[in-house]
């Protein structure tokens, strides 16, 4: 089935970026949110981000206008019925996603691909609530979507080769790089990144070095653009803890135990940049 029209469910941090990149690549997009206010908010972010590309002379104002015109706003999930691909990017809650996938399965034609942008929920578990697990796949975009080149393509246990090939082709058509991985906790990105961050927190917790020293070692020694503690503040310490808990529960392996300091900071409400305090302080 050729993909021409793409549904995006959820227009938050990730969803508005996903709608943006599909529209900019010429797809018709239906963006579904919970309210008109949230749709307006998503649109103002998309417009601002396209405007930035115009300013940098990466696209023309006509391109930006054409992209915006490609996106139809909706507060009704039924409106994705004509889409050949739907990418879900709502809250990271299995119950919320379950309700959406059950509905998408009823609304979308047979053969339409149902993708999720989840960063930690098993694709296999989401696929199992539908009658078409072969057409369900993970499309894990990175934040900020318009900038980041990688999309992890995650195959659930039942995902067909045809679905995976179509998802790969769709990502390539966005000028991004798809990487195929299988459906195990944390996929590749979070399974490798989060234990590194957690180990940096352990180094701080055990008094091995200061926050600045730990980050400097990784920046200057390993050429990482940000230190692991700075990055944890950017991601959100609550999100970091959630992902460590997913790895710990998923593998039953003590090497994924979250550092007590990370847990304590989340309990204190020190969540990083979003609360102006994490491993560092922000104005
Ligand atoms: P967010 O909280 O910024 O946005 C979620 C949006 O979904 C909200 O605007 C909400 O109104 C909307 N929504 C909730 N229920 C809905 C429904 N029934 N119908 C339509 N819209 C609905 O969340 P964010 O950060 O965009 O995350 C979305 C997904 O992407 C999550 O699964 C998350 O794990 C994943 N993800 C997030 C990344 C990040 O850096 N924020 C990176 C990669 C994946």
């Amino acid at each position: 089935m050729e993909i021409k029209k793409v549904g995006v469910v959820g227009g938050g941090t990730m969803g508005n970026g996903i709608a943006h990149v599909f529209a900019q690549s010429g797809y018709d997009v239906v963006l579904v949110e919970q309210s008109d206010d949230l749709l307006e908010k998503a649109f103002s972010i998309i417009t601002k981000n396209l405007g930035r590309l115009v300013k940098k002379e990466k696209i023309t104002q006509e391109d930006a206008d054409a992209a915006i015109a490609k996106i139809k706003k909706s507060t009704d999930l039924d409106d994705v019925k004509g889409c050949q691909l739907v990418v879900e990017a709502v809250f990271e809650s299995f119950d919320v996603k379950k309700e959406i996938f059950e509905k998408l399965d009823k609304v979308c034609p047979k053969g339409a691909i149902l993708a999720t942008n989840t960063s930690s929920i098993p694709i296999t578990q989401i696929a199992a609530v539908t009658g078409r697990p072969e057409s369900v796949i993970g499309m894990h975009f990175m934040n900020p979507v318009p900038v980041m080149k990688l999309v992890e393509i995650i195959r659930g246990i039942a995902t067909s080769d045809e679905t995976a090939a179509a998802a790969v082709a769709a990502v390539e058509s966005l000028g991004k790089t798809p990487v195929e991985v299988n459906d195990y906790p944390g996929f590749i990105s979070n399974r490798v990144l989060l234990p590194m961050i957690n180990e940096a927190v352990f180094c701080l917790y055990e008094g091995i070095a200061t926050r600045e020293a730990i980050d400097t070692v990784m920046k200057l020694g390993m050429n990482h653009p940000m230190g692991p503690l700075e990055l944890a503040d950017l991601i959100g310490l609550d999100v970091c803890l959630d992902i460590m808990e997913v790895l710990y529960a998923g593998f039953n392996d003590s090497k994924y135990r979250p550092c007590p300091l990370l847990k304590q900071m989340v309990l204190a409400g020190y969540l990083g940049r979003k609360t102006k305090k994490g491993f560092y302080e922000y104005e």
Side-chain angles (χ1 to χ4, degrees):
M1 186 186 287
E2 195 192 348
I3 298 171
K4 288 188 164 165
K5 194 168 176 186
V6 178
V8 179
V9 188
T13 308
M14 298 304 287
N16 72 60
I18 296 168
H20 166 159
V21 295
F22 274 106
Q24 200 186 321
S25 298
Y27 291 90
D28 289 313
V29 175
V30 181
L31 176 60
V32 185
E33 251 296 351
Q34 299 191 95
S35 69
D36 290 333
D37 283 354
L38 288 166
L39 278 171
E40 288 314 319
K41 197 171 153 204
F43 259 69
S44 74
I45 296 170
I46 296 171
T47 307
K48 196 173 86 195
N49 288 338
L50 283 165
R52 246 187 229 149
L53 295 176
V54 173
K55 231 181 217 157
K56 287 187 186 163
E57 296 184 356
K58 293 203 167 154
I59 59 173
T60 63
Q61 187 60 50
E62 290 71 47
D63 296 333
D65 295 343
I68 285 289
K70 285 267 178 198
I71 308 175
K72 181 173 175 276
K73 302 174 200 169
S74 171
T75 53
D76 183 355
L77 203 53
D78 281 350
D79 286 340
V80 304
K81 61 176 175 288
C83 297
Q84 296 84 30
L85 166 67
V86 180
V87 185
E88 166 276 315
V90 303
F91 305 129
E92 187 70 345
S93 148
F94 175 69
D95 291 341
V96 176
K97 293 190 192 289
K98 177 173 183 276
E99 201 181 316
I100 287 171
F101 274 80
E102 283 171 348
K103 182 104 193 264
L104 289 175
D105 194 30
K106 289 198 188 101
V107 169
C108 297
K110 205 171 173 300
I113 296 173
L114 307 182
T116 172
N117 190 50
T118 181
S119 35
S120 63
I121 299 169
I123 308 308
T124 304
Q125 186 184 8
I126 294 173
V129 310
T130 73
R132 63 175 92 190
E134 69 286 354
S135 301
V136 177
I137 195 158
M139 287 176 89
H140 186 208
F141 288 82
M142 305 288 132
N143 184 17
V145 179
V147 177
M148 299 294 279
K149 288 275 174 233
L150 176 74
V151 182
E152 262 183 322
I153 300 291
I154 304 121
R155 297 175 70 133
I157 196 168
T159 307
S160 69
D161 290 344
E162 196 187 350
T163 299
V168 162
V171 167
E172 283 171 346
S173 76
L174 304 176
K176 296 193 183 290
T177 304
V179 171
E180 280 187 73
V181 313
N182 289 320
D183 186 23
Y184 288 97
F187 316 134
I188 294 295
S189 51
N190 286 330
R191 179 162 173 188
V192 175
L193 176 65
L194 266 298
M196 183 199 69
I197 289 176
N198 194 47
E199 204 57 34
V201 183
F202 266 111
C203 291
L204 187 68
Y205 171 67
E206 292 168 8
I208 298 173
T210 62
R211 60 188 185 182
E212 290 84 2
I214 294 165
D215 280 342
T216 302
V217 167
M218 298 307 288
K219 282 190 285 191
L220 301 188
M222 317 299 159
N223 234 356
H224 289 196
M226 293 179 87
L229 300 174
E230 290 171 307
L231 183 56
D233 278 358
L234 182 70
I235 294 172
L237 302 196
D238 50 341
V239 176
C240 292
L241 178 58
D242 281 350
I243 297 171
M244 285 311 295
E245 298 283 17
V246 166
L247 293 172
Y248 190 43
F251 291 111
N252 292 309
D253 186 334
S254 65
K255 77 175 173 181
Y256 298 112
R257 75 225 177 282
C259 177
L261 176 59
L262 180 63
K263 287 181 164 180
Q264 192 183 41
M265 292 185 68
V266 171
L267 286 175
Y270 302 160
L271 306 183
R273 282 182 190 244
K274 61 187 164 192
T275 58
K276 300 197 172 10
K277 186 168 169 54
F279 293 109
Y280 294 86
E281 295 75 40
Y282 303 88
E283 277 315 306

